[in-house]
Amino acid sequence: MVRALIFALCVAVPFAAKAENVVPTSQAQISLSFAPLVKQAAPAVVNIYAKRIVQTRASASPFASDPFFQNFFGDLGPSRPQVQNSLGSGVILSSDGYVVSNYHVVGQATDIRVVLKDRREFSAEVILGDEASDLAILRLKNMDEATDNLPFLNLRDSNTVEVGELVLAIGNPFGVGQTVSSGIISGLARSGKVTGNARGYFMQTDAPINPGNSGGALIGMDGALIGVNTAIVTRSGGSNGIGFAIPAAMVEQFIEQARAGATLFQRPWAGMGGQTVDADLAQSLGLDRSGGMAITQLQDGSPFAAAGLAVGDVITAANGLEVNSPSEMLYYMTIAGMGSKIEVSFVHNGQEASTTVAMIGPPDIPAHEEVILEEDEVLPLLKLANVNPAVLSEHQLPLLPEGVVVLDTGPFGGRVGLQKGDILREINGDTIETPRAAQKAFRDARRSVSMVVERGGQLVLLRFRL
C-alpha cells in the first residue's frame, strides 16, 4: 500500500518539478489506510467448518501404496465410511442469513457450521449448489428475531471492474483466523478449468490468497463484493500472487435462483459448440484479425440457430461485451439470466451483423428415459439415458449425436472400461437405440459381453466375461 501511495503521488507531480515534503494536516491523512474499509466489510465474511462422509476402500494388497500399482489394487478392498473435514470462508449476502461459498468447501457436506467475526455460530444447509461453477448458497438455520439483522455485503456489477483496481481479499487462510490481504485486479476473462470441476470465467488478483480463503470475499474500494475467492496457481501450496475469483455477477444469479426456490442451478442453453479464433483460423475464415468465437456445431432447436446464426459464423460480442471463447459466451449468457434476451454481434460471410437471442432452458426432447440397472444385473447401478439437450446440460457433457449415453458407470462399469459420456452403439452385436434396449441386451447376455461405444468421435470395443 505504501508503494502504491508513493506511485500515485509521483505520477501526480510533473517530473520536471521539484517534489516538496508535505506534512499531513488532518487526522484523515495521518491515518490513511484500509482500516475503515475493513471495519465495514469484515463482519460479513465468515468462517465455515464442514464435515462430509466419504467412502474409502482399504485394500489388502501390499501394492496398494505403490505409486504405480495403486491404480490397479487400491480400489479392490471393502468400502468404509470416513469423515472428511474442510475449512473455508463465506460471505453473508443478506440480513436474513443467505451466505455464498465455494462448492468444494460445502458441497455434499453433512454438517456445516458458520462462525461470524463476533464469534456467533450458526448451523447451515446448502440450498443451491453447482459443482461446475464451484458456487453454493447456504441458509443459516438457527436464527431468531434477535439475529435476523446480520451484517452483509452488497454486490457490485463485476462487469465494471477494471484491471489495476485496488482490492482486498478477506478470509480464513490456513485456519489462523480472519485475515485481510491487499492487491490489485491483475486480469479479467480468465477462462478454462481453474480448480476441481470449476469451469468458466474468472477474475485474477495478486492479493495473497491461501488455502482456507476459498469462498471468502474479494471487495473493491467501495466495500462491495466483486468476487468470491476460489483458487490459486501455486507449486508450493502457498500464494504466488496468482489467485482467481468468481465474479459477483455470477453470484447474483445464484442468489436470485436460491430465493426463487431452485435446488439445481439453471443455465441458459446454447445448443452450440465453438472455438477461439486464433490467427490461423482468422486467416482461413477471411478475417482481418484474430478474436471472437467461431461456431463449430449447432444442435437442432438451438436459440442461436433460431436467431439466424450458422456454423462458421464468428460471435464477437454479447450485450456489448467482447467474446473470445466458449466459456466467455456461456458466462455472459448465464449472468443475463433465464428468460432474458441478449444482443449478439457476429460476422457472417465476412459481413458484420447483430441479432437478439432468447435465453431458454434445454429441451427434454426426445424423452431421456433414464434407466438404472438393478443390483443383481450385469454392471449393477449403471445409469443410462437417451441423449437430449436437457441430459447434456445437466451432466455437463459435450455436444453428442443421438444415442444412449452413460451417465454413471456404477461400481463396476469403470473396471470394464466404460466412462461417463460414452455412447452405447452395440451390445453383443445388437444395435442399441434406447436405454431399455441396452438393459435387455445385458439381461440376455450369458457368458460374455461385447460392447461398441463411441468416445470422442472414435469407436471403442470393450469385452468382459460374466
Side-chain angles (χ1 to χ4, degrees), residues 189-192 199-201 293 324-332:
R190 300 302 194 221
S191 58
R199 299 173 183 269
Y201 176 103
M293 186 202 80
N324 284 302
S325 68
S327 58
E328 277 189 75
M329 186 70 243
L330 180 59
Y331 169 74
Y332 292 135

Side-chain angles (χ1 to χ4, degrees), residues 289-302:
R289 61 183 178 86
S290 60
M293 186 202 80
I295 298 176
T296 57
Q297 293 175 285
L298 272 176
Q299 285 183 293
D300 293 339
S302 164

Side-chain angles (χ1 to χ4, degrees), residues 376-452:
D376 59 348
E377 293 186 284
V378 176
L379 302 181
L381 303 183
L382 178 70
K383 184 186 292 186
L384 306 171
N386 281 326
V387 171
N388 70 25
V391 170
L392 301 182
S393 178
E394 179 182 350
H395 296 276
Q396 301 297 309
L397 297 174
L399 296 182
L400 298 169
E402 295 181 352
V404 176
V405 62
V406 176
L407 300 182
D408 192 324
T409 62
F412 300 107
R415 298 184 188 180
V416 302
L418 283 175
Q419 297 179 12
K420 179 181 177 179
D422 283 349
I423 301 294
L424 283 177
R425 293 303 181 196
E426 293 183 8
I427 298 177
N428 286 345
D430 295 332
T431 300
I432 301 303
E433 296 181 349
T434 67
R436 294 295 179 188
Q439 186 178 37
K440 182 178 184 302
F442 282 127
R443 287 175 174 174
D444 292 342
R446 292 295 177 260
R447 296 183 178 179
S448 64
V449 174
S450 175
M451 296 181 291
V452 177

